[in-house]
């Protein structure tokens, strides 16, 4: 069953959105304030509780609406602190520039945590990336093809992933990476699956139906 939530800022009150997101981690909140994120924007405010609950989610929002920041906030909120040597959050992005951008944002907003964040992309050194992942990282950000190569050939245990996030899902699926993403998802027995997309295309909806459990769809205007 697909659950759609149409969010319209003309009918949804935007008051009381300062970074007092319900039960937000206080260390995360402090980092947000210090990095000039004084208020939760619409996408962050509307999706926070649902994502924090562990539900599978698809979020459609325009470019420059804060999708990357929303991903980072929610991953830090849920993963919270370093544990063991196995990765617990996997964020798939479209290219090297997006990997660098998101890793920088993770590092800024995880200042008051001990979370370990690592980024991989197609132009990176395979052996270096493999060795670094083996040392232990809580959050991995990477391009789909590089993540697939690393986890397939290096034999990392992907079953420890608690959050499986796909950014720019419509672009990745249009590039025929949906089959790879579906294989990666199938390797994880139990995880929260989240898609962020500019448009909920037919491919986005089909893959959500295949790999998610009763996903909640947010359509941000």
């Amino acid at each position: 069953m697909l659950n759609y939530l149409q969010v319209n800022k003309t009918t949804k009150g935007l008051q009381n959105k300062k970074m007092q997101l319900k039960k937000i981690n206080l260390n995360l909140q402090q980092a947000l304030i210090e990095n000039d994120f004084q208020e939760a924007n619409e996408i962050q405010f509307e999706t926070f509780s649902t994502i924090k609950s562990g539900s599978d989610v698809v979020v459609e929002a325009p470019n420059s609406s804060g999708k990357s920041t929303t991903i980072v906030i929610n991953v830090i909120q849920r993963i919270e602190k370093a544990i063991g040597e196995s990765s617990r959050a996997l964020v798939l992005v479209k290219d090297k520039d997006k990997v660098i951008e998101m890793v920088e944002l993770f590092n800024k907003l995880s200042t008051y945590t001990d979370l370990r964040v690592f980024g991989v992309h197609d132009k990176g050194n395979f052996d270096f990336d493999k060795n670094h992942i083996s040392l232990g990282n809580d959050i991995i950000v990477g391009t789909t093809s590089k993540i697939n190569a690393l986890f397939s050939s290096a034999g990392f245990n992907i079953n420890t992933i608690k959050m499986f996030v796909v950014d720019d899902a419509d672009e990745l699926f249009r590039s025929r990476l949906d089959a790879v993403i579906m294989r990666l998802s199938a390797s994880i027995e139990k995880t929260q699956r989240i898609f962020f997309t500019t448009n909920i295309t037919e491919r986005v909806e089909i893959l959500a139906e295949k790999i998610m459990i009763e996903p909640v769809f947010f359509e941000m205007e």
Side-chain angles (χ1 to χ4, degrees):
M1 179 180 178
L2 303 183
N3 301 313
Y4 279 85
L5 296 181
Q6 184 82 26
V7 178
N8 187 323
K9 62 184 176 184
T10 63
T11 59
K12 300 289 288 187
L14 299 183
Q15 66 273 24
N16 300 321
K17 294 204 309 179
K18 291 185 177 180
M19 278 301 172
Q20 296 294 330
L21 293 169
K22 189 174 182 180
K23 296 184 179 179
I24 188 171
N25 181 288
L26 295 179
N27 289 327
L28 171 59
Q29 184 179 50
Q30 182 64 27
L32 284 163
I33 293 169
E34 290 182 4
N35 284 279
D36 295 323
F37 293 100
Q38 299 294 334
E39 294 185 354
N41 69 13
E42 190 178 6
I43 182 175
Q44 293 149 14
F45 184 72
E46 297 294 344
T47 63
F48 185 73
S49 293
T50 303
I51 295 176
K52 183 161 65 73
S53 74
S55 297
D56 288 350
V57 175
V58 178
V59 182
E60 176 192 85
N63 289 324
S64 303
S65 61
K67 291 193 290 292
S68 294
T69 306
T70 304
I71 290 171
V72 172
I73 288 172
N74 280 282
V75 170
I76 293 174
Q77 172 72 26
R78 179 130 193 243
I79 301 305
E80 193 174 9
K81 62 183 179 180
I83 297 177
E85 296 181 356
S86 298
S87 303
R88 289 173 294 133
L90 181 60
V91 183
L92 302 179
V93 299
K94 62 182 179 180
D95 55 30
K96 175 185 175 182
D97 289 342
K98 199 61 180 282
V99 170
I100 294 169
E101 173 192 323
M102 196 165 285
V103 168
E104 288 179 352
L105 188 54
F106 266 116
N107 287 332
K108 284 181 180 179
L109 298 186
S110 64
T111 299
Y112 297 109
T113 76
D114 58 353
L115 288 171
R116 301 156 297 178
V117 183
F118 186 57
V120 298
H121 52 76
D122 299 334
K123 296 181 180 180
N125 181 276
F126 185 88
D127 289 331
F128 175 83
D129 291 342
K130 180 181 68 175
N131 292 334
H132 201 288
I133 290 174
S134 68
L135 294 174
N137 297 275
D138 302 290
I139 302 163
I140 298 179
V141 181
T143 54
T144 303
S145 54
K146 187 58 176 285
I147 290 292
N148 184 54
L150 283 166
F151 279 81
S152 297
S153 61
F156 294 117
N157 182 13
I158 198 172
N159 233 351
T160 60
I161 298 296
K162 302 300 180 187
M163 296 184 77
F164 182 83
V165 185
V166 181
D167 192 22
D168 294 312
D170 51 342
E171 293 188 46
L172 294 183
F173 299 167
R174 189 165 58 244
S175 299
R176 305 289 182 180
L177 290 169
D178 44 341
V180 177
I181 291 170
M182 190 158 62
R183 284 199 302 272
L184 285 169
S185 173
S187 300
I188 311 171
E189 185 175 337
K190 185 177 181 181
T191 191
Q192 179 184 22
R193 296 170 173 87
I194 303 171
F195 292 167
F196 279 80
T197 180
T198 305
N199 297 291
I200 298 178
T201 63
E202 183 179 5
R203 285 190 180 187
V204 169
E205 191 163 337
I206 288 172
L207 199 63
E209 287 183 301
K210 285 183 177 180
I211 72 173
M212 292 182 176
I213 299 172
E214 297 184 355
V216 179
F217 283 65
F218 287 89
E219 295 180 287
M220 313 299 296
E221 295 186 350

